[in-house]
Amino acid sequence: MKQVRMIVMVMALMLLTLGVARAETLMMATTTSTDNTGLLDYLAPIFQADTGIELKWTAVGTGKALKMGENCDVDVLLVHAPAAEKAFIESGFGSERRQVMYNDFVIIGPAADPAKVKGMKVAAALKTIAGSGTKFISRGDDSGTNKKEISLWKASGMELPDKEAWYVQTGQGMIATIKVAEEMGGYTMTDRGTFIKYADTNNGNPPLVVLVEGDDVLFNQYSVLLLNKEHCPNARHDLAEKFADWMTSEKGQKIIGDYLMLNQKLFTPNAK
Amino acid sequence: MDFIAQGVLEAFRLLMLGDPQTWSAVRTTIGVSTMSIMASLVLGAPLGFALGYYEFPGKRGVRLLVDTLLSLPTVVIGLLVYAFITRQGPLGDFGLLFTMRGIALGQTLLGLPVVVAMTATAVESQDRRLRQTLLTLGASPGQVLLTTLAEARFAVALAAMAAYGRIVSEVGISMMVGGNIKWHTRTITTAIALETGKGEFGMGVALGLVLMFIAFAVNLLAVMLRRSSQR
């Protein structure tokens, strides 16, 4: 019997270490880019100091984040797929979309640039990569970046090369996908914020470099989505509203603009 | 290769300097896995014992089902639990999603078949003569049951260790149900998945070593308990 008592004691001690905190918490679903770049780690404490609201978030692809919003599992969304966001509101799941900040997408590849696409427009670059036999690595996970990439293939007048041997779909997050591209010596498309983070991890000298950038179609808008009160009566709409207000306020916007890595802005604030 | 060496150094640094994020993940892991293993044992040991001890119609079918459940992938369990506890699901009102209790629920489903199957096997394979000897000595059916139970305690302990190993090392359920939320539901395994996803391989290795330390400590505790019980 002695050992049973000891087990119970140990278990009780373990359970006591589970501190239960009860602050006002706002649950958000967001994309991997806002999390991996460290933006949210930097914003959340400031937001909490200003409003007393603790921000909790789960970082998934935009596709899954929208699904979580649809299921009312979160209170607010911070995502980057304008077309899908508008459809989300039209379907009656969301009530409001507020643009917060942008960065841009870039096509990156080996510094040697085997397909010779440096400086091209996106459509020309994709066509060239498709005909060159070099690999193109795609997220393939229905994230905001993946949705954008699919639209770019279509815009360049090609079918999505879904079954082509040179088109590799990882189904993983952005940096994991960049790593795959690095290993395979191929090209991939990423948002600039995540690329800067990746460059920073490689001490500012990454194996893959930006080759295609600055084309208007590469613009990447991030927005806060508020959920529909009728569809999700239990979500904390009041806190979500406060978060949206704070993110688009002068202070929130300044803080986003002040977040630098390798002396570069990761996100540019552009609330209306 | 160098990130493995980096990871080993990093592991010591994280634990020695008490890195708050690492300790938060350690606390979450220990807390959740404790809840899960307790629930698995409380539910699983009696079920497993009954399955091994009593004869009833359909017993073979139940055994087959339990053994099949042993190979259910953790992501599938995570998905099933998510389907039930999402706001739109039948248990949506309990607010279990993105909580430690939610993860524990999923992990209990993972540990339960292990405990049931191993306990049942142990009870079945107990020396057949035990029962006859007891009856010959004039034991009542109740006493026979109690003695068999006492004899099965080591099997249950062994089952507990095996189930704990599965629970503490899974990532699918924690990720799907817990959502990997910093300071709340980020366990060591989801933190490893996150760090490798971010390309921080050294950190991933370090956290892996931290998890091994915990497993080592738990096993050491088990050995000590066994020693003290054999005296």
Side-chain angles (χ1 to χ4, degrees):
Chain A
M1 266 349 274
K2 213 165 96 185
Q3 73 267 29
V4 175
R5 222 172 309 152
M6 194 163 157
I7 293 177
V8 172
M9 289 265 292
V10 170
M11 295 292 181
L13 272 175
M14 281 178 174
L15 286 172
L16 279 178
T17 59
L18 308 180
V20 188
R22 281 266 167 269
E24 291 273 77
T25 55
L26 173 68
M27 187 66 216
M28 174 168 81
T30 183
T31 74
T32 50
S33 51
T34 51
D35 184 43
N36 282 358
T37 50
L39 177 76
L40 291 174
D41 285 329
Y42 152 84
L43 280 181
I46 309 175
F47 175 65
Q48 188 164 355
D50 282 3
T51 60
I53 301 166
E54 185 194 13
L55 182 66
K56 286 159 70 175
W57 66 90
T58 181
V60 291
T62 294
K64 191 174 171 188
L66 291 169
K67 193 82 204 156
M68 285 178 168
E70 200 177 304
N71 289 344
C72 310
D73 292 330
V74 290
D75 306 312
V76 72
L77 304 173
L78 174 61
V79 287
H80 67 126
E85 292 160 26
K86 282 165 189 156
F88 183 81
I89 289 176
E90 273 158 25
S91 314
F93 301 129
S95 61
E96 204 183 331
R97 170 176 179 264
R98 293 201 209 167
Q99 59 175 57
V100 174
M101 63 197 183
Y102 69 89
N103 63 15
D104 61 335
F105 290 111
V106 290
I107 294 179
I108 61 175
D113 192 13
K116 298 285 169 272
V117 294
K118 193 172 172 56
M120 283 185 179
K121 284 271 186 211
V122 174
L126 290 180
K127 277 203 181 89
T128 313
I129 291 170
S132 73
T134 352
K135 286 196 161 69
F136 185 93
I137 290 75
S138 164
R139 292 265 297 263
D141 62 348
D142 199 33
S143 57
T145 307
N146 186 229
K147 285 175 197 278
K148 180 78 180 184
E149 182 223 322
I150 291 169
S151 76
L152 292 176
W153 285 106
K154 296 209 167 116
S156 71
M158 282 184 280
E159 285 292 302
L160 185 72
D162 189 37
K163 297 208 165 46
E164 300 290 343
W166 54 266
Y167 187 71
V168 181
Q169 301 182 59
T170 62
Q172 297 182 55
M174 195 66 249
I175 292 186
T177 302
I178 295 176
K179 285 270 177 198
V180 174
E182 188 186 302
E183 296 285 340
M184 291 187 163
Y187 295 84
T188 186
M189 188 180 91
T190 166
D191 64 283
R192 194 183 293 269
T194 306
F195 177 76
I196 294 169
K197 167 74 193 170
Y198 159 78
D200 187 51
T201 318
N202 284 283
N203 309 320
N205 189 13
L208 299 183
V209 296
V210 175
L211 296 164
V212 176
E213 61 183 326
D215 193 332
D216 291 344
V217 296
L218 291 173
F219 187 77
N220 179 22
Q221 177 68 50
Y222 288 78
S223 305
V224 171
L225 280 186
L226 297 173
L227 301 179
N228 185 336
K229 290 191 175 77
E230 270 109 59
H231 181 65
C232 300
N234 294 329
R236 299 297 309 265
H237 299 285
D238 51 336
L239 304 183
E241 192 91 35
K242 275 191 185 147
F243 175 72
D245 289 343
W246 187 86
M247 286 290 273
T248 53
S249 70
E250 213 164 297
K251 178 167 182 193
Q253 291 280 290
K254 184 177 176 318
I255 283 165
I256 292 170
D258 287 346
Y259 186 59
L260 301 179
M261 198 175 279
L262 293 177
N263 292 324
Q264 299 174 70
K265 246 187 216 184
L266 274 79
F267 298 96
T268 311
N270 71 338
K272 282 177 182 151
Chain B
M1 266 313 282
D2 65 334
F3 58 76
I4 295 182
Q6 242 178 36
V8 176
L9 291 175
E10 185 71 5
F12 282 109
R13 205 186 57 81
L14 291 176
L15 287 173
M16 295 299 143
L17 295 179
D19 173 60
Q21 286 191 46
T22 307
W23 280 107
S24 157
V26 169
R27 266 198 306 274
T28 309
T29 295
I30 292 176
V32 169
S33 59
T34 305
M35 283 195 263
S36 314
I37 194 71
M38 295 292 280
S40 298
L41 285 174
V42 168
L43 295 168
L47 283 173
F49 184 82
L51 189 59
Y53 189 75
Y54 297 107
E55 293 298 330
F56 55 90
K59 176 171 167 161
R60 274 220 161 117
V62 176
R63 263 324 289 261
L64 198 62
L65 179 72
V66 171
D67 288 344
T68 308
L69 286 177
L70 286 174
S71 32
L72 201 58
T74 56
V75 274
V76 175
I77 300 175
L79 198 57
L80 290 173
V81 173
Y82 175 85
F84 274 89
I85 67 178
T86 167
R87 283 274 173 208
Q88 308 293 320
L91 306 176
D93 297 337
F94 292 100
L96 288 170
L97 192 65
F98 304 133
T99 64
M100 287 167 67
R101 289 195 315 274
I103 306 177
L105 176 67
Q107 290 185 344
T108 303
L109 293 177
L110 176 72
L112 202 55
V114 179
V115 176
V116 172
M118 285 180 74
T119 310
T121 307
V123 172
E124 270 173 5
S125 61
Q126 259 174 4
D127 199 337
R128 292 266 164 234
R129 280 173 306 183
L130 175 69
R131 181 173 252 230
Q132 269 122 32
T133 313
L134 289 170
L135 289 170
T136 321
L137 291 169
S140 66
Q143 284 172 313
V144 175
L145 182 71
L146 280 176
T147 318
T148 317
L149 265 177
E151 287 297 313
R153 68 185 188 278
F154 286 124
V156 175
L158 205 63
M161 296 315 299
Y164 191 79
R166 260 203 103 179
I167 285 168
V168 85
S169 63
E170 71 79 31
V171 65
I173 299 167
S174 309
M175 194 61 107
M176 188 81 210
V177 177
N180 191 24
I181 296 157
K182 196 174 175 179
W183 309 121
H184 296 278
T185 59
R186 181 163 298 170
T187 63
I188 299 177
T189 51
T190 59
I192 294 171
L194 175 77
E195 295 299 339
T196 35
K198 280 161 61 178
E200 308 276 0
F201 292 164
M203 189 73 182
V205 172
L207 287 164
L209 287 169
V210 171
L211 189 59
M212 281 177 62
F213 280 130
I214 292 180
F216 176 73
V218 169
N219 281 303
L220 196 65
L221 190 74
V223 170
M224 279 156 56
L225 283 175
R226 231 180 128 151
R227 284 259 173 80
S228 70
S229 71
Q230 278 166 346
R231 257 184 234 131

